[in-house]
Amino acid sequence: MNESICAVILAAGQGKRMKSDLPKPMFQVLGVPMIDWVIRACERAGITDICCVTGFNHEVIEEHVKGRCETVIQTERKGTGHAVMTASDFIKRHRDGHVLILNGDAPFIGHDTILPAIDEHIANGNSVTVITAEIADPYGYGRILRTPQGDVKGIIEEKDASDQQRQIREINSGAYIFRADALLESLEKITPNNAQGEYYLTDTLYILMNEGKKAGAYKSEDPDVVLGANDRRGLLLLNNTARFAIINRLMDEGVEFTCTDGVSIGPDVSIGAGTVIMKGTIITGKCSIGENCVIGPDTMLCNTNVGYGTHLNSVQSHDSTVGNGVTIGPWVQLRPGTVIKDGAKIGDFVEIKNSTIGERTAVAHLTYVGDSDVGSGVNFGCGVVTVNYDGEKKFRTTIGDNAFIGCNTNLVAPVKIGNAAYTGAGSTITRDVPDGALAVERSDVRIVEGFGTRRLSERIKKNTK
Ligand code: UD1
Ligand code: CA
């Protein structure tokens, strides 16, 4: 591509039907805001000069796209043509090239549609090229009007269309490529003479064609690329569409799904062949999962990397790393900064935070490990707690290789348990334990003979009165 291309993303609308303070482009599809899908499509198409038109609660989008896009504020929502006019200073700076226009609420237009559309636009010497698709239910979209020869004639909105025009199933995706100079000139000529009293961007097609300039349509084979969300039902449809697109791709790559109920996997997740995903598994953010794992049921992973041959059953994990051949669950939470090394075993009702658990270490039941560095081959008894917080500061616990932490041990940090050291069950360990030693820190047993018998006879006396 020798010609320069910039992009304008229309994202000023409120999306009234969402009934929310969140600008519509910030609503998420598979855990990723729609606007990010759109920006990513530009970036993957090699377009880095991007201007976002914001309006409704504009601060939210401005903050979100900072560093990736310029922004302009459309103070009044007077239609898509008016929105593009708001960005005219940006477009003027790119006057010698072409402008890609995208809707901030239509996340599925990818670089694989954008790039061939740009090629066709340039090859045909068009002033404008609209990206279209034929869809089963065109309700609500602008329809593409064509001459009997099949050339594009214009776009008519649902509200302005005749009954006959409403039968047309080829629709306007809301994505276009314009020659920048042609766009700037034609924008000045549009008027709000239509059913909605808005400045329609789509009117630029008529204006350009009237001036003898070329308009074309790039028709996508995939009807899903044009889908947008106008309300929450539409958003759910987008999520389900994206969900199954990813599940189908993963199946082609050798991933097995026993049941897709409640399964949602984000666009930035890679999963190795032979891995089985069970029901209720949600994987979001940047995650990579190796081969031959079993993930689920009821597991949620966010920004988590998992090796191969690992089983995660009812696990919640954020910003963590899990090695190979690890077994975790059921009902385990891994909080940010956790690293579980190869062959470790983490059992039920265990929470681990900001800690490293060494190779083959077992933390089998009812345990909290926070801010700790745990060696390899360590065994945790049931109910161990690292006491990492004194109400003001957090401290670390260090446990050497092959140590044995007795049941119900409190490890009061900062504290260090040596290699192959033991702690006695029920101990509250407040001092470092040397390598190979046993530490028992609890009061000695006191046996009071006859105490229970006396209590029992008192109770019997009271009840027989
Ligand atoms: C628009 C198109 C329609 C197309 C559809 C595809 C026009 C006149 N119609 O209709 O042909 O089939 O998109 O989804 O262009 N926006 C602003 N400022 C405004 C108005 C809108 O920034 O003043 C933004 C919205 O936030 C949204 C996009 O532009 O991201 C499209 O606006 P919307 O009102 O949803 O247009 P549609 O009626 O769906
Ligand atoms: Ca729309």
Side-chain angles (χ1 to χ4, degrees), residues 401-432:
D401 296 341
N402 302 308
F404 184 100
I405 312 299
C407 286
N408 259 326
T409 297
N410 294 315
L411 298 166
V412 182
V415 71
K416 197 170 169 189
I417 310 297
N419 293 326
Y422 277 61
T423 70
S427 290
T428 292
I429 304 292
T430 57
R431 283 190 299 157
D432 291 354

Short mmCIF file of all heavy atoms in Angstrom, two decimals, residues 401-432:
data_model
loop_
_atom_site.label_atom_id
_atom_site.label_comp_id
_atom_site.label_asym_id
_atom_site.label_seq_id
_atom_site.Cartn_x
_atom_site.Cartn_y
_atom_site.Cartn_z
N ASP A 401 13.29 -26.07 50.42
CA ASP A 401 12.92 -27.30 49.73
C ASP A 401 12.63 -28.41 50.75
O ASP A 401 13.28 -28.50 51.79
CB ASP A 401 14.07 -27.77 48.82
CG ASP A 401 14.34 -26.77 47.70
OD1 ASP A 401 13.45 -25.94 47.40
OD2 ASP A 401 15.45 -26.83 47.13
N ASN A 402 11.68 -29.26 50.41
CA ASN A 402 11.36 -30.47 51.18
C ASN A 402 10.93 -30.20 52.62
O ASN A 402 11.00 -31.09 53.47
CB ASN A 402 12.55 -31.45 51.19
CG ASN A 402 12.93 -31.83 49.77
OD1 ASN A 402 12.08 -32.26 48.99
ND2 ASN A 402 14.20 -31.64 49.41
N ALA A 403 10.51 -29.00 52.92
CA ALA A 403 10.01 -28.72 54.27
C ALA A 403 8.64 -29.37 54.44
O ALA A 403 7.97 -29.73 53.47
CB ALA A 403 9.92 -27.21 54.48
N PHE A 404 8.24 -29.52 55.71
CA PHE A 404 6.95 -30.12 56.02
C PHE A 404 6.25 -29.18 57.00
O PHE A 404 6.71 -29.00 58.12
CB PHE A 404 7.15 -31.51 56.65
CG PHE A 404 5.87 -32.24 56.92
CD1 PHE A 404 5.40 -33.23 56.04
CD2 PHE A 404 5.11 -31.94 58.06
CE1 PHE A 404 4.21 -33.89 56.31
CE2 PHE A 404 3.91 -32.60 58.30
CZ PHE A 404 3.47 -33.58 57.43
N ILE A 405 5.15 -28.58 56.54
CA ILE A 405 4.44 -27.62 57.39
C ILE A 405 3.25 -28.34 57.99
O ILE A 405 2.35 -28.78 57.27
CB ILE A 405 3.97 -26.39 56.57
CG1 ILE A 405 5.10 -25.84 55.68
CG2 ILE A 405 3.41 -25.31 57.47
CD1 ILE A 405 6.32 -25.35 56.44
N GLY A 406 3.26 -28.50 59.31
CA GLY A 406 2.20 -29.26 59.97
C GLY A 406 0.84 -28.59 59.83
O GLY A 406 0.73 -27.40 59.54
N CYS A 407 -0.22 -29.41 60.08
CA CYS A 407 -1.59 -28.90 59.96
C CYS A 407 -1.79 -27.67 60.85
O CYS A 407 -1.23 -27.59 61.94
CB CYS A 407 -2.59 -29.97 60.41
SG CYS A 407 -2.74 -31.28 59.21
N ASN A 408 -2.60 -26.76 60.38
CA ASN A 408 -2.96 -25.58 61.17
C ASN A 408 -1.77 -24.80 61.69
O ASN A 408 -1.81 -24.25 62.78
CB ASN A 408 -3.84 -25.98 62.35
CG ASN A 408 -5.27 -25.66 62.05
OD1 ASN A 408 -5.55 -24.67 61.38
ND2 ASN A 408 -6.18 -26.49 62.52
N THR A 409 -0.73 -24.72 60.90
CA THR A 409 0.41 -23.88 61.29
C THR A 409 0.14 -22.45 60.84
O THR A 409 -0.32 -22.23 59.73
CB THR A 409 1.71 -24.38 60.61
OG1 THR A 409 2.00 -25.70 61.07
CG2 THR A 409 2.87 -23.46 60.91
N ASN A 410 0.42 -21.48 61.74
CA ASN A 410 0.46 -20.08 61.32
C ASN A 410 1.92 -19.71 61.13
O ASN A 410 2.74 -19.93 62.03
CB ASN A 410 -0.11 -19.15 62.40
CG ASN A 410 -1.58 -19.39 62.62
OD1 ASN A 410 -2.34 -19.50 61.67
ND2 ASN A 410 -1.98 -19.47 63.88
N LEU A 411 2.25 -19.16 60.00
CA LEU A 411 3.63 -18.73 59.76
C LEU A 411 3.63 -17.20 59.80
O LEU A 411 3.13 -16.55 58.86
CB LEU A 411 4.11 -19.24 58.40
CG LEU A 411 4.14 -20.77 58.27
CD1 LEU A 411 4.30 -21.19 56.81
CD2 LEU A 411 5.25 -21.37 59.12
N VAL A 412 4.10 -16.63 60.90
CA VAL A 412 3.98 -15.19 61.08
C VAL A 412 5.17 -14.49 60.40
O VAL A 412 6.30 -14.56 60.86
CB VAL A 412 3.91 -14.82 62.59
CG1 VAL A 412 3.73 -13.31 62.75
CG2 VAL A 412 2.76 -15.57 63.26
N ALA A 413 4.89 -13.84 59.29
CA ALA A 413 5.94 -13.23 58.47
C ALA A 413 6.41 -11.91 59.09
O ALA A 413 5.61 -11.25 59.78
CB ALA A 413 5.42 -13.00 57.06
N PRO A 414 7.66 -11.49 58.86
CA PRO A 414 8.65 -12.20 58.05
C PRO A 414 9.21 -13.41 58.78
O PRO A 414 9.61 -13.29 59.94
CB PRO A 414 9.74 -11.14 57.82
CG PRO A 414 9.64 -10.23 59.00
CD PRO A 414 8.19 -10.22 59.40
N VAL A 415 9.25 -14.54 58.09
CA VAL A 415 9.74 -15.76 58.74
C VAL A 415 10.30 -16.68 57.67
O VAL A 415 9.86 -16.63 56.52
CB VAL A 415 8.62 -16.44 59.56
CG1 VAL A 415 7.56 -17.07 58.67
CG2 VAL A 415 9.18 -17.47 60.53
N LYS A 416 11.28 -17.51 58.08
CA LYS A 416 11.96 -18.37 57.12
C LYS A 416 12.00 -19.79 57.68
O LYS A 416 12.49 -20.00 58.81
CB LYS A 416 13.38 -17.84 56.92
CG LYS A 416 14.05 -18.36 55.71
CD LYS A 416 15.34 -17.60 55.45
CE LYS A 416 16.11 -18.37 54.38
NZ LYS A 416 17.45 -17.85 54.20
N ILE A 417 11.47 -20.72 56.91
CA ILE A 417 11.51 -22.13 57.31
C ILE A 417 12.60 -22.78 56.46
O ILE A 417 12.55 -22.70 55.23
CB ILE A 417 10.15 -22.83 57.05
CG1 ILE A 417 8.97 -22.02 57.63
CG2 ILE A 417 10.16 -24.26 57.56
CD1 ILE A 417 8.99 -21.85 59.12
N GLY A 418 13.58 -23.44 57.10
CA GLY A 418 14.73 -23.98 56.37
C GLY A 418 14.38 -25.17 55.50
O GLY A 418 13.27 -25.71 55.55
N ASN A 419 15.39 -25.61 54.72
CA ASN A 419 15.21 -26.81 53.90
C ASN A 419 14.96 -28.00 54.82
O ASN A 419 15.60 -28.15 55.86
CB ASN A 419 16.50 -27.10 53.11
CG ASN A 419 16.77 -26.02 52.08
OD1 ASN A 419 15.84 -25.45 51.50
ND2 ASN A 419 18.04 -25.71 51.86
N ALA A 420 14.03 -28.86 54.42
CA ALA A 420 13.73 -30.10 55.13
C ALA A 420 13.36 -29.87 56.60
O ALA A 420 13.48 -30.77 57.41
CB ALA A 420 14.90 -31.08 55.01
N ALA A 421 12.96 -28.67 56.95
CA ALA A 421 12.53 -28.40 58.33
C ALA A 421 11.07 -28.80 58.50
O ALA A 421 10.32 -28.89 57.53
CB ALA A 421 12.72 -26.92 58.64
N TYR A 422 10.66 -29.02 59.75
CA TYR A 422 9.29 -29.39 60.08
C TYR A 422 8.70 -28.34 61.01
O TYR A 422 9.41 -27.75 61.83
CB TYR A 422 9.25 -30.74 60.82
CG TYR A 422 9.31 -31.95 59.92
CD1 TYR A 422 10.40 -32.17 59.09
CD2 TYR A 422 8.27 -32.90 59.94
CE1 TYR A 422 10.46 -33.29 58.28
CE2 TYR A 422 8.33 -34.02 59.13
CZ TYR A 422 9.41 -34.21 58.30
OH TYR A 422 9.46 -35.30 57.50
N THR A 423 7.37 -28.15 60.92
CA THR A 423 6.69 -27.41 61.98
C THR A 423 5.62 -28.33 62.56
O THR A 423 4.97 -29.07 61.83
CB THR A 423 6.03 -26.11 61.48
OG1 THR A 423 4.90 -26.45 60.68
CG2 THR A 423 6.99 -25.24 60.70
N GLY A 424 5.46 -28.29 63.87
CA GLY A 424 4.47 -29.13 64.53
C GLY A 424 3.07 -28.61 64.28
O GLY A 424 2.86 -27.39 64.18
N ALA A 425 2.10 -29.53 64.18
CA ALA A 425 0.72 -29.13 63.92
C ALA A 425 0.26 -28.11 64.95
O ALA A 425 0.60 -28.20 66.12
CB ALA A 425 -0.19 -30.36 63.95
N GLY A 426 -0.50 -27.13 64.52
CA GLY A 426 -1.06 -26.13 65.43
C GLY A 426 -0.07 -25.09 65.91
O GLY A 426 -0.39 -24.26 66.75
N SER A 427 1.14 -25.11 65.40
CA SER A 427 2.14 -24.13 65.84
C SER A 427 1.89 -22.76 65.22
O SER A 427 1.42 -22.67 64.09
CB SER A 427 3.54 -24.58 65.43
OG SER A 427 3.94 -25.70 66.19
N THR A 428 2.21 -21.72 65.99
CA THR A 428 2.25 -20.37 65.43
C THR A 428 3.72 -19.98 65.39
O THR A 428 4.31 -19.68 66.43
CB THR A 428 1.42 -19.41 66.29
OG1 THR A 428 0.04 -19.78 66.15
CG2 THR A 428 1.59 -17.97 65.83
N ILE A 429 4.30 -20.07 64.23
CA ILE A 429 5.76 -19.94 64.11
C ILE A 429 6.11 -18.46 63.96
O ILE A 429 5.70 -17.81 63.01
CB ILE A 429 6.29 -20.74 62.89
CG1 ILE A 429 5.88 -22.20 62.97
CG2 ILE A 429 7.80 -20.57 62.74
CD1 ILE A 429 6.52 -23.00 64.08
N THR A 430 6.88 -17.94 64.92
CA THR A 430 7.21 -16.52 64.90
C THR A 430 8.70 -16.28 64.67
O THR A 430 9.14 -15.15 64.58
CB THR A 430 6.81 -15.85 66.23
OG1 THR A 430 7.46 -16.55 67.29
CG2 THR A 430 5.31 -15.88 66.44
N ARG A 431 9.47 -17.37 64.67
CA ARG A 431 10.93 -17.21 64.47
C ARG A 431 11.40 -18.13 63.35
O ARG A 431 10.77 -19.15 63.08
CB ARG A 431 11.67 -17.55 65.76
CG ARG A 431 11.60 -16.42 66.78
CD ARG A 431 12.53 -16.69 67.93
NE ARG A 431 12.14 -17.93 68.61
CZ ARG A 431 12.96 -18.66 69.35
NH1 ARG A 431 14.23 -18.29 69.50
NH2 ARG A 431 12.54 -19.75 69.94
N ASP A 432 12.54 -17.81 62.77
CA ASP A 432 13.08 -18.63 61.69
C ASP A 432 13.40 -20.03 62.20
O ASP A 432 13.83 -20.21 63.35
CB ASP A 432 14.35 -18.01 61.12
CG ASP A 432 14.06 -16.71 60.36
OD1 ASP A 432 12.86 -16.39 60.20
OD2 ASP A 432 15.02 -16.04 59.95
#
